[in-house]
Amino acid sequence: MTTMTLAKALNAGLRRAMEDDPKVLVMGEDVGKLGGVFRITDGLQKDFGEERVIDSPLAESGIVGTAVGLAMRGYRPVVEIQFDGFVYPAYDQIVSQVAKLHFRSGGKIPMPMVIRIPFGGGIGAVEHHSESPEAQFAHTPGLKVVACSNPVDGYWMIQQAVASDDPVVFLEPKRQYHADKAEVDEDAVPDPLHVSRVVRAGEHATLLAYGPTVKVCYAAATAAAEEGKELEVIDLRTLSPLDMAPVYDSVSRTGRAVVVHEAHVNLGLGAELAARVTERCFYSLQAPVLRVGGFDTPYPPARVEEEWLPDLDRVLDAVDRTLAY
Amino acid sequence: MSSAVDGADTGALTTDPTTDLHEAGPELVQLLTPEGERVDHARFTFGAGLSAEEEAERIRGFYRDMALVRRLDVEATALQRHGELGLWAQLLGQEAAQIGAGRALRPQDFVFPTYREHGVAWCRGVDPVELLGLFRGVDQGAWDPKANNFGLYTIVIGAQTLHAVGYAMGVQRDGHVGTGDPERDTAVVAHFGDGASSQGDVNEAFVFAASYNAPVVFFCQNNQWAISEPIERQTRIPLYQRAKGFGFPGVRVDGNDVLATHAVMEAALQRARDGQGPTFVEAYTYRMGAHTTTDDPTRYRLSDELEQWKLKDPIERVKAYLTRNGLVDQAFLAEVDEEAEALGRRLREGCHALPDPHVLDVFDQVYAEQTEELAEQKAGYAAYLDTFEPEAAR
Ligand SMILES: Cc1ncc(C[n+]2csc(CCOP(=O)(O)OP(=O)(O)O)c2C)c(N)n1
Ligand SMILES: [Mg+2]
């Protein structure tokens, strides 16, 4: 057992993945000597050398594109995109190459690559540093997309993503990096990567969250409990593929669901979740599935981000609205 | 050297062993040494056609500019430390590169900056308080690019270089190139860093500029570092030499020498205005501060390096030149100091007075033609906010 922040847990998970498999490489901007701008790769270059922990030229398309070639050569690259807003120069490589090579080659070219992206807002940053691009990737067949929300998941999910033979877009809630600590049992048997999990049981409504909004929803559920409303909170963890069984199970009991993410609501994950829940739980639903998220504007200047991001009050407001049906 | 295996002559493929990334050498255009001595260069001169007094006045102006933008930088850094700014990207050490480049512009020229071009912004007449907004988190660049022909700061590395080329293509189509009219012919400057030179966008900008012979100057401040990555991670030949491969001239100038930078930029800009196409100018300089206020350079570079570069300080050498040659008196220097104090005060007060945005305003900025659904979303959120604090939700 070790007490860790999410940042430390990811670091420890990466370290263990590199120890377990000499083919695992870490690459990206400033990941070596600096240990990444968030220090997620801190100390890895010192211990595994420059051949395995690679400071790349400043070019995201180059990072992901060369990772494709390294994967073809038998390596398992873990690439770091410094901030969410800087993934787009690599978008072509990710969507047109990484996502499709297994398909095009009839399985002869697997892409065991992890693309780590610190995502989400709330850190008072300048533009392009606070975005939530998950839907762009979840919409792309051939990519798997996961989001961790806490140190324990960070530790295990990064290792599982590295071990996966498919490309995984790995989203890390940067606001949580250095926030809460948790006990991580390095000898535990973790849940599989692509499962969702009920993190708080409740009977009146279901909150669906991932990454940074899990904490928001948990706090909302705690507040609601004081008013006698028991909210079930599900940490989705896997965004593509989705693990709907726990969601269907929960909503069939509660009859109400609210999806909470920082990404823009329009065509976001919430839309897919609402559609699926409506299709499968139609007769159990007491209210339409509601969505709480970022508004359909670009991410705003930092001084108003806390009002733009879904917070406890907006979640509770949605809960009240769903309960009012 | 030939391959032992099949006799292929691999020796025919060696690179030029004389190219040293850091060699100053004869290729470095310098007109004012770190000690403050004027030196000649075969191709570039500063102050051609100026009288001695006019020339001295120019150089005093450069000194003043550099001293003031350094103060601007120091003040903004302090504001960040006091929690008034979320972040600041320091220009410390790059004053000569920016003032040299900025003062070579004509009013009609257009500049595409990165996020560190505070000195160029100063030359363009952008209100320094407006520069703070982005870093304070109240806006994302509030100045009007058309007011001073100075574009918005661009944080996505390298993206603006393509915009500069496109703007220059527009200038061409407007017939504002090569007419011989000094008030009409227009050049465009693309600013970027050594790290940015690796981006696809930047290399594509070179290709487009060469292909269309666009009136653009690529001004790269090679400050030796891209956050923690040294220049060697981006290139193995001096950056200015890359231009040749794209088909336009490249020149390396001492970016800590304001006279040389000004002279080289004047020539490159005029070349663009005359319709002779793009030029790559590598201003060889040094980022004396951290990458930004969140960065800790002690993790990746030795303080020795910084000490070496302090000896090449861009402001000190101009001051040495001016004082040694009796071109300034104490009164002038004191006046600049006072101006700097006043600027510092203005920045502090201006920063505090920057209006906070209202979250509802962001809905109105997304489209030129507002959509019904977004207007509805805004109204819904306003109604929601009203349930808390009726007066705040306008
Ligand atoms: C596309 C993109 N990737 C990464 C970043 C993060 N980042 C900001 S500045 C920087 C280094 C830039 O170095 P350089 O081009 O040399 O300019 P300098 O900061 O030295 O002025 C990096 C990696 C970014 N802003 N945009
Ligand atoms: Mg640089």
Side-chain angles (χ1 to χ4, degrees):
Chain A
M1 285 283 206
T2 318
T3 308
M4 300 183 201
T5 58
L6 177 59
K8 279 272 182 289
L10 289 163
N11 180 270
L14 279 171
R15 174 176 291 278
R16 188 156 164 191
M18 295 190 79
E19 283 163 358
D20 289 351
D21 183 348
K23 292 292 188 191
V24 175
L25 306 177
V26 165
M27 50 200 290
E29 295 157 10
D30 306 289
V31 297
K33 211 161 186 180
L34 184 64
V37 295
F38 291 107
R39 310 289 186 261
I40 306 304
T41 56
D42 194 19
L44 297 182
Q45 189 181 66
K46 191 168 125 284
D47 295 339
F48 295 98
E50 291 183 20
E51 293 287 303
R52 292 188 65 195
V53 180
I54 304 169
D55 267 330
S56 72
L58 209 177
E60 288 76 10
S61 181
I63 296 168
V64 175
T66 53
V68 168
L70 282 158
M72 290 175 69
R73 184 69 188 180
Y75 287 89
R76 303 183 90 84
V78 181
V79 313
E80 174 174 302
I81 299 294
Q82 202 162 77
F83 283 89
D84 34 66
F86 307 140
V87 70
Y88 299 109
Y91 193 62
D92 171 60
Q93 285 289 343
I94 296 173
V95 169
S96 299
Q97 305 299 331
V98 175
K100 292 183 180 144
L101 274 163
H102 182 273
F103 181 75
R104 280 175 55 210
S105 68
K108 289 188 285 296
I109 308 181
M111 271 296 125
M113 183 191 302
V114 178
I115 301 172
R116 293 183 38 241
I117 309 179
F119 84 127
I123 63 160
V126 294
E127 55 180 346
H128 313 294
H129 290 73
S130 306
E131 300 175 2
S132 299
E134 58 270 22
Q136 323 252 12
F137 300 111
H139 189 65
T140 303
L143 300 177
K144 291 179 175 171
V145 184
V146 302
C148 58
S149 69
N150 61 76
V152 177
D153 279 352
Y155 180 75
W156 291 112
M157 287 171 74
I158 190 65
Q159 294 179 60
Q160 293 166 326
V162 173
S164 168
D165 284 333
D166 286 312
V168 178
V169 174
F170 193 92
L171 299 162
E172 303 168 1
K174 66 172 86 78
R175 192 207 309 225
Q176 287 300 317
Y177 272 149
H178 306 284
D180 309 311
K181 289 187 177 167
E183 290 272 302
V184 176
D185 177 0
E186 292 98 333
D187 301 317
V189 179
D191 284 341
L193 181 59
H194 295 291
V195 305
S196 298
R197 190 192 289 142
V198 176
V199 292
R200 192 183 201 285
E203 54 188 327
H204 296 124
T206 304
L207 300 181
L208 302 174
Y210 55 88
T213 56
V214 173
K215 189 175 176 181
V216 176
C217 287
Y218 200 89
T222 309
E226 286 166 19
E227 296 174 11
K229 291 172 250 178
E230 293 299 334
L231 307 180
E232 184 142 302
V233 181
I234 295 183
D235 181 351
L236 292 169
R237 299 169 82 249
T238 177
L239 309 185
S240 182
L242 285 164
D243 175 27
M244 293 304 289
V247 178
Y248 296 148
D249 173 66
S250 175
V251 180
S252 337
R253 283 184 285 105
T254 63
R256 295 174 161 90
V258 177
V259 190
V260 185
H261 53 55
E262 289 191 7
H264 318 291
V265 164
N266 188 34
L267 291 171
L269 255 290
E272 180 62 29
L273 288 158
R276 292 203 201 182
V277 167
T278 308
E279 282 165 15
R280 280 291 288 273
C281 306
F282 189 67
Y283 291 107
S284 319
L285 280 174
Q286 307 286 321
V289 179
L290 298 184
R291 292 167 291 165
V292 181
F295 295 102
D296 294 318
T297 75
Y299 198 86
R303 288 251 166 172
V304 289
E305 69 180 332
E306 294 299 343
E307 290 157 276
W308 187 92
L309 290 167
D311 63 0
L312 183 134
D313 287 326
R314 279 175 62 205
V315 173
L316 291 177
D317 173 67
V319 167
D320 287 346
R321 281 186 284 130
T322 185
L323 288 171
Y325 273 90
Chain B
M1 196 202 311
S2 58
S3 161
V5 182
D6 58 6
D9 184 7
T10 56
L13 297 173
T14 53
T15 50
D16 178 358
T18 62
T19 45
D20 175 348
L21 216 45
H22 293 286
E23 186 191 40
E27 288 301 311
L28 183 81
V29 180
Q30 189 180 70
L31 299 174
L32 185 68
T33 68
E35 294 74 35
E37 304 287 347
R38 294 282 289 269
V39 286
D40 287 334
H41 188 274
R43 286 182 293 145
F44 297 96
T45 43
F46 174 76
L50 297 181
S51 71
E53 183 41 38
E54 283 167 343
E55 195 198 80
E57 188 57 34
R58 265 278 171 85
I59 301 176
R60 280 193 293 269
F62 291 161
Y63 172 78
R64 176 180 172 272
D65 284 335
M66 291 195 291
L68 292 180
V69 299
R70 180 166 288 186
R71 182 51 193 259
L72 186 167
D73 195 56
V74 166
E75 199 62 49
T77 306
L79 283 165
Q80 194 279 338
R81 299 274 179 251
H82 290 123
E84 297 295 337
L85 302 180
L87 182 84
W88 180 250
Q90 293 159 273
L91 66 71
L92 188 67
Q94 298 176 224
E95 295 87 353
Q98 295 194 13
I99 298 302
R103 287 296 177 211
L105 296 163
R106 297 231 179 99
Q108 70 270 26
D109 296 337
F110 200 100
V111 173
F112 286 85
T114 68
Y115 40 81
R116 208 188 286 287
E117 260 66 75
H118 321 312
V120 186
W122 169 264
C123 295
R124 291 266 87 182
V126 177
D127 180 350
V129 174
E130 286 199 317
L131 295 178
L132 302 181
L134 176 96
F135 297 97
R136 186 168 168 85
V138 301
D139 58 53
Q140 291 169 337
W143 60 91
D144 176 2
K146 292 201 183 106
N148 304 91
N149 282 358
F150 184 79
L152 292 185
Y153 278 179
T154 301
I155 286 173
V156 179
I157 300 295
Q160 74 283 0
T161 58
L162 279 166
H163 309 163
V165 175
Y167 191 97
M169 290 163 62
V171 167
Q172 271 177 324
R173 277 152 187 73
D174 291 343
H176 285 220
V177 180
T179 68
D181 178 350
E183 268 153 44
R184 179 181 173 98
D185 291 345
T186 300
V188 183
V189 184
H191 285 272
F192 59 107
D194 45 290
S197 72
S198 294
Q199 283 287 4
D201 275 7
V202 175
N203 288 274
E204 290 174 25
F206 295 161
V207 170
F208 276 65
S211 177
Y212 299 120
N213 209 37
V216 63
V217 178
F218 295 105
F219 187 76
C220 177
Q221 286 167 76
N222 174 2
N223 62 8
Q224 314 299 326
W225 292 93
I227 309 186
S228 74
E229 298 189 349
I231 181 70
E232 287 80 3
R233 182 54 58 220
Q234 319 294 341
T235 186
R236 296 300 166 126
I237 60 160
L239 282 174
Y240 76 96
Q241 290 184 14
R242 282 199 186 161
K244 192 173 178 197
F246 286 94
F248 49 88
V251 49
R252 174 183 274 183
V253 62
D254 180 349
N256 285 19
D257 173 354
V258 69
L259 303 188
T261 307
H262 187 271
V264 167
M265 277 305 275
E266 227 176 27
L269 289 163
Q270 195 50 43
R271 193 170 170 275
R273 293 185 202 109
D274 288 347
Q276 295 176 58
T279 306
F280 183 120
V281 177
E282 175 191 0
Y284 194 80
T285 179
Y286 191 72
R287 195 195 79 208
M288 288 171 81
H291 169 69
T292 65
T293 43
T294 58
D295 177 40
D296 173 11
T298 62
R299 289 179 68 101
Y300 54 79
R301 71 184 189 188
L302 301 170
S303 54
D304 259 18
E305 190 182 278
L306 177 60
E307 293 309 316
Q308 284 308 307
W309 277 92
K310 276 186 185 164
L311 303 174
K312 303 183 203 170
D313 188 281
I315 303 184
E316 285 309 314
R317 69 175 78 177
V318 176
K319 192 174 179 182
Y321 169 76
L322 289 171
T323 32
R324 189 170 320 119
N325 292 284
L327 300 173
V328 288
D329 51 19
Q330 282 311 315
F332 172 83
L333 296 174
E335 201 179 296
V336 172
D337 284 348
E338 262 168 48
E339 262 188 279
E341 282 307 309
L343 176 62
R345 266 195 310 279
R346 192 154 81 73
L347 278 167
R348 282 194 298 277
E349 287 163 14
C351 180
H352 295 137
L354 278 171
D356 265 332
H358 192 285
V359 67
L360 292 178
D361 294 342
V362 303
F363 293 88
D364 301 324
Q365 275 165 238
V366 185
Y367 299 107
E369 296 166 18
Q370 179 63 309
T371 67
E372 262 176 52
E373 59 180 23
L374 195 53
E376 215 173 279
Q377 206 174 82
K378 177 185 175 183
Y381 192 37
Y384 164 82
L385 289 177
D386 269 339
T387 63
F388 294 87
E389 33 168 2
E391 76 287 0
R394 45 186 96 152

